[in-house]
């Protein structure tokens, strides 16, 4: 996909952090933008942007941010529909040194798949839903888009007599998993871009609005047997999906964060999210062409659910100052954020708070393809259903290799990645 910036006096920012300034008098209609040639990727030559996507220009700087909206909007990519979309950028602008206050995960430019798939347009599936179903809209905030990737991982295929076959793969994923707002309490539709290449021929590129669990509710993260009903989703007709969104609530805080004297708060148990996907690409007859179920996990989010809080959103940093029946937060992230309690009144969006959702990892899990008869290019609705070889309004182009990779029924599973990574920094803060 090609990079550009329609603000002609504003330099473009590439995902590598370099700048390209277009001539101030050059008309966008005259710009020919080179795209990324890839398996299932966009064409090699694209015309100038067809306009701005709904996702473009949504971010505004807050009181702790020093970059302007114009600098932020310079990190842009032209999507398959010719519209301009935001894409990955570093937390700190590499040329000016200004700060954005949020991050989007791991820089994709070092992924082995980057030359194949190019920069990822944030919000493309959401935009196609507007076309596919004009009465439905699902537009997500900017800061929730998070990228994870790894080169040279091993997918494992369990075989007969406990024989295990290893296949070497590269994986690149982007999920919208905002962990700062009320959105995921009720909304189960979140944009996913998923790319995989393996040395046995397994390969897939797809973008969908993945339905994670049921709309209107989530699963309590510290007790996965409890479903917490919150309220209506947006859109109201959001489909249910496989998997689940495990999110902490007040019960988790009271059981694991507010502890008695002599105990230590268990933040890993009390303040952890796990977004467990179960995503198919299906033909119109219901046959599954591809299936994945990665788990994307977040430690120390800046929100938890409390039914008595405004909009249900409570802040872990506020729990650091609570005392309930002699029980309070002890040690760990609360102690570090508040200077052992000496820093009073820290707000949830203060960069000194460690509850900012920057510690994440991904369990790759199953990656199954049953598409030996092809074709490699399918067009689906924004949810990954109704796959057919022909383009239709609101459809998204998906690439699935011509292969059956399940070795007779096995789900090839992958490892956990990103466990030691921390995507924050001194300037990153909630909302992130």
């Amino acid at each position: 996909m090609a990079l550009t910036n329609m603000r002609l006096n504003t330099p473009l920012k590439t995902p590598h952090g370099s700048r390209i300034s277009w001539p101030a008098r050059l008309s966008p209609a005259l710009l020919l933008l080179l795209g990324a040639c890839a398996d299932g990727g966009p064409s090699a030559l694209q015309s100038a942007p067809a306009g701005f996507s709904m996702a473009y220009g949504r971010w505004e700087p807050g009181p702790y941010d020093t970059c302007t909206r114009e600098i932020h909007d310079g990190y842009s990519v032209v999507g398959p529909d010719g519209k301009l979309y935001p894409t990955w950028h570093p937390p700190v602008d590499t040329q000016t040194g200004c700060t954005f206050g949020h991050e989007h995960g791991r820089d994709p430019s070092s992924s082995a798949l980057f030359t194949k798939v190019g920069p990822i347009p944030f919000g493309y599936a959401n935009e196609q839903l507007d076309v596919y179903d004009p009465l439905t809209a699902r537009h997500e905030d900017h800061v929730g888009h998070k990228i994870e990737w790894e080169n040279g991982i091993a997918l494992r295929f369990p075989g007969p007599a406990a024989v295990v076959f290893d296949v070497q793969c590269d994986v690149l994923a982007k999920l919208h998993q905002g962990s700062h707002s009320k959105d995921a309490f009720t909304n189960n539709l979140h944009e996913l871009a998923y790319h995989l290449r393996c040395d046995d021929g397994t390969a897939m590129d797809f973008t969908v609005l993945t339905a994670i669990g049921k709309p209107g509710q989530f699963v309590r993260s510290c007790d996965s047997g409890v479903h917490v009903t919150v309220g209506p989703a947006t859109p109201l007709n959001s489909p249910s999906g496989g998997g689940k969104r495990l999110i902490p609530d007040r019960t988790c805080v009271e059981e694991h964060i507010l502890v008695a004297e002599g105990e230590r708060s268990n933040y890993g148990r009390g303040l952890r999210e796990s977004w467990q996907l179960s995503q198919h690409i299906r033909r119109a007859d219901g046959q599954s062409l591809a299936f994945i179920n990665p788990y994307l996990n977040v430690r120390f989010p800046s929100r938890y659910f409390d039914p008595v809080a405004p909009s249900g959103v409570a802040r872990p940093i506020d729990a650091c100052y609570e005392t309930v029946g002699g029980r309070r937060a002890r040690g760990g992230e609360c102690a570090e954020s508040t200077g052992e309690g000496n820093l009073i009144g820290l707000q949830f969006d203060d960069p000194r708070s460690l509850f900012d959702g920057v510690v994440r990892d991904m369990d790759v899990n199953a990656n199954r393809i049953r598409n030996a008869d092809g074709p490699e290019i399918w067009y689906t609705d924004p949810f990954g259903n109704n796959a057919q070889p022909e383009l239709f309004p609101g459809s998204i182009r998906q690439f699935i290799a011509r292969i059956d990779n399940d070795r007779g029924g096995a789900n090839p599973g992958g490892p956990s990645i990103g466990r030691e990574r921390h995507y924050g920094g001194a300037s990153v803060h909630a909302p992130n």
Side-chain angles (χ1 to χ4, degrees), residues 397-418:
R397 188 175 188 259
Q398 320 286 10
F399 170 79
I400 304 171
R402 269 193 204 93
I403 191 174
D404 288 350
N405 76 339
D406 59 3
R407 269 71 166 175
N411 270 330
S416 296
I417 61 176

Side-chain angles (χ1 to χ4, degrees), residues 250-294:
R250 181 64 186 181
T251 296
C252 298
V253 170
E254 292 186 354
E255 290 184 357
H256 300 286
I257 307 303
L258 305 180
V259 298
E261 187 174 357
E263 298 180 17
R264 187 177 177 87
S265 300
N266 188 341
Y267 298 93
R269 177 73 170 162
L271 289 170
R272 177 180 180 272
E273 299 189 2
S274 182
W275 297 43
Q276 302 181 1
L277 282 60
S278 180
Q279 178 65 48
H280 289 267
I281 300 296
R282 296 185 187 274
R283 295 191 328 199
D285 62 5
Q287 177 178 320
S288 178
L289 300 168
F291 170 74
I292 62 170
N293 73 321

Side-chain angles (χ1 to χ4, degrees), residues 273-348:
E273 299 189 2
S274 182
W275 297 43
Q276 302 181 1
L277 282 60
S278 180
Q279 178 65 48
H280 289 267
I281 300 296
R282 296 185 187 274
R283 295 191 328 199
D285 62 5
Q287 177 178 320
S288 178
L289 300 168
F291 170 74
I292 62 170
N293 73 321
Y295 294 178
L296 292 104
N297 310 303
V298 185
R299 297 171 61 194
F300 319 127
S302 63
R303 58 102 195 274
Y304 68 88
F305 176 71
D306 187 341
V308 303
S311 299
V313 179
R315 301 299 181 185
I317 192 64
D318 293 338
C320 295
Y321 298 106
E322 284 191 56
T323 300
V324 179
R327 301 169 64 88
R328 63 179 179 83
R330 302 177 191 272
E333 281 64 33
C334 274
E336 189 172 346
S337 296
T338 66
E340 299 291 343
N342 294 315
L343 183 59
I344 304 300
L346 201 66
Q347 299 299 302
F348 93 100

